[in-house]
Amino acid sequence: MIDPSSYSAVLRRSFRRTFPPATRGEGVYLWDARDKRYLDFSGSAAVNFIGHGVVEIAAAMAAQAAQLEFVHSSQFTTPVAEEYALELLDFAGKNFQGGCVYFTCGGSESVETALKLARQYQVEIGQTGRYQVVSRGQSYHGSTLGASSVSGNKRRREMYRPMVREFAHVGFPYCYRCAFDCTDSCRACGQEYAAELEQAIEAAKGEVAAFIVEPVSGATLGAVVPPSGYLQKVAEICRRHGVLLIADEVMTGMGRTGRNFAVDHWDVAPDLLVTAKGLSSGYAPLGAVLVSKKVASAIADGSGAFLHGFTYNSHPISLAAGRAVLRFLQERKLVEAADSDRQGSTAATLGQALDGLHDAKPVGDVRGIGLLWAVEFVADKATKQPFASELNFAGRVAQAAVKRGLLVYPMQGCVDGVSGDHVLIAPPAVITSEQIDWAVMQLQEAIDEACAA
Ligand SMILES: Cc1ncc(COP(=O)(O)O)c(C=O)c1O
């Protein structure tokens, strides 16, 4: 029964939890209706990259709304869409030169779009038997049914499994819990994991249209960076088998890992690249699929029309927000700030500060790249045994952090889809070193409190 004292007309994420009403944001901070301040150490859910309350973005959105709020993409294009698409292709670099961009309202819609583009590409080039999309076992590509069918996140998809099409899921390099007995920082096993993809493609007997992968694992595994050579091998296998490579950079794109897109760390050229979250930094619902020239040309020279559409794709106000965000992050050099390889950068400072958490009793692993990090908790450091999932250890840490005015993003399931606890850290790139030090100190105390409970 719904408790009348906590009744809300909004169908929230939980009927049991209470949610403070958020009222404003500025820089790395959010405030609730009681004027309690929170340091947003996870950029909500790795969304905010440029900081909250940036007036330039609000002004760009208001100007667009005053000029033209909406047209339907079956009737018009808009100057903001045409100009912003060119700017994004330029930001993505040479791999997407001559390609094009499909704008949506977020990550899941963009993944759906990429899946359909992959299928249509194969049909256009005469490969009509190709429709399967292979993905990785511990992955998350969105909440819609199509995106769920290619996601491996057990917790989020289990109930809906009878409603979704199952394709092959392959293994994934997760060095802290590597399935192989590695002594070379998982270099060789990266090739073994890639070989699993080749086996899955061969087993599907010419029916695989695409492979979808998060270049750096986001929420499900928590900021797991693949060993060098893995993604290059995956790309080579896809190319050799006529399978499209879809990079899901919903979380990792637009500078979050210290490169414009995470694939740039390994010089990998996906056929389709999906991005959202940091694209608008949360100022408006926005996602995009970057389409390589190869895929765009197959459709342009074939049937000539992409059989897909949402009422709100290419929404002018969202695009004005995204365009202003891109300009802001370039002017402020925020991708450079997010580069953990760069001495003295914000990301390098964050990495060093988080590394100090290693000594805490329940901290098994601290991993990440750029401004995307995770702290994984274990009941026993020596055996890496996770906490019992019912304890919800990551949730307890996050709650203890909230009490201290710190927001982190807790997740469970990194070990096997059910057990395994971590918190994701993905602050806005405008965070200062003093704010990082304060946040890590609060996180340390929150971990201690969760242990004592
Ligand atoms: C890698 C990845 N893909 C897709 C999605 C789905 O995006 P959205 O929640 O905007 O639909 C997410 C969201 O967390 C994600 O991390």
Side-chain angles (χ1 to χ4, degrees), residues 13 45-47 105-111 139-144 147 151 156 212-220 248-252 274 276-277 286-287 409:
R13 289 212 172 206
V47 175
C105 292
S108 302
E109 278 188 7
S110 295
V111 168
S139 56
Y140 179 63
H141 297 292
S143 285
T144 49
S151 291
R156 292 187 180 181
I212 184 165
V213 62
E214 295 164 87
V216 175
S217 294
T220 308
D248 182 346
E249 298 230 22
V250 166
M251 197 176 267
T252 56
V274 177
K277 296 195 186 251
L286 183 62
Y409 187 40

Side-chain angles (χ1 to χ4, degrees), residues 36-60:
K36 177 175 161 115
R37 192 179 78 169
Y38 305 81
L39 191 150
D40 187 5
F41 208 28
S42 54
S44 300
V47 175
N48 189 298
F49 187 62
I50 66 161
H52 297 281
V54 176
V55 290
E56 289 95 316
I57 316 301

Side-chain angles (χ1 to χ4, degrees), residues 57-137:
I57 316 301
M61 293 171 72
Q64 182 63 52
Q67 172 107 25
L68 174 69
E69 81 298 342
F70 176 74
V71 283
H72 196 266
S73 57
S74 67
Q75 295 165 329
F76 289 101
T77 183
T78 57
V80 65
E82 298 297 333
E83 286 157 21
Y84 181 37
L86 282 174
E87 288 163 9
L88 267 184
L89 291 174
D90 194 42
F91 184 74
K94 61 179 186 325
N95 181 43
F96 285 97
Q97 259 171 26
C100 49
V101 184
Y102 191 93
F103 290 112
T104 72
C105 292
S108 302
E109 278 188 7
S110 295
V111 168
E112 295 289 337
T113 303
L115 300 181
K116 286 197 179 173
L117 270 169
R119 165 69 180 155
Q120 189 169 339
Y121 165 82
Q122 300 291 4
V123 172
E124 299 278 5
I125 64 164
Q127 295 284 316
T128 52
R130 290 186 184 267
Y131 65 96
Q132 298 190 26
V133 180
V134 177
S135 59
R136 302 198 303 178

Side-chain angles (χ1 to χ4, degrees), residues 116-117 120-121 124 296-308:
K116 286 197 179 173
L117 270 169
Q120 189 169 339
Y121 165 82
E124 299 278 5
S297 300
I299 300 176
D301 300 341
S303 67
F306 179 33
L307 291 174
H308 177 69

Side-chain angles (χ1 to χ4, degrees), residues 328-345:
F328 187 90
L329 72 86
Q330 286 180 317
E331 280 170 6
R332 308 289 163 112
K333 300 204 177 318
L334 296 186
V335 183
E336 288 85 336
D339 183 357
S340 41
D341 296 336
R342 203 179 258 257
Q343 232 191 352
S345 69

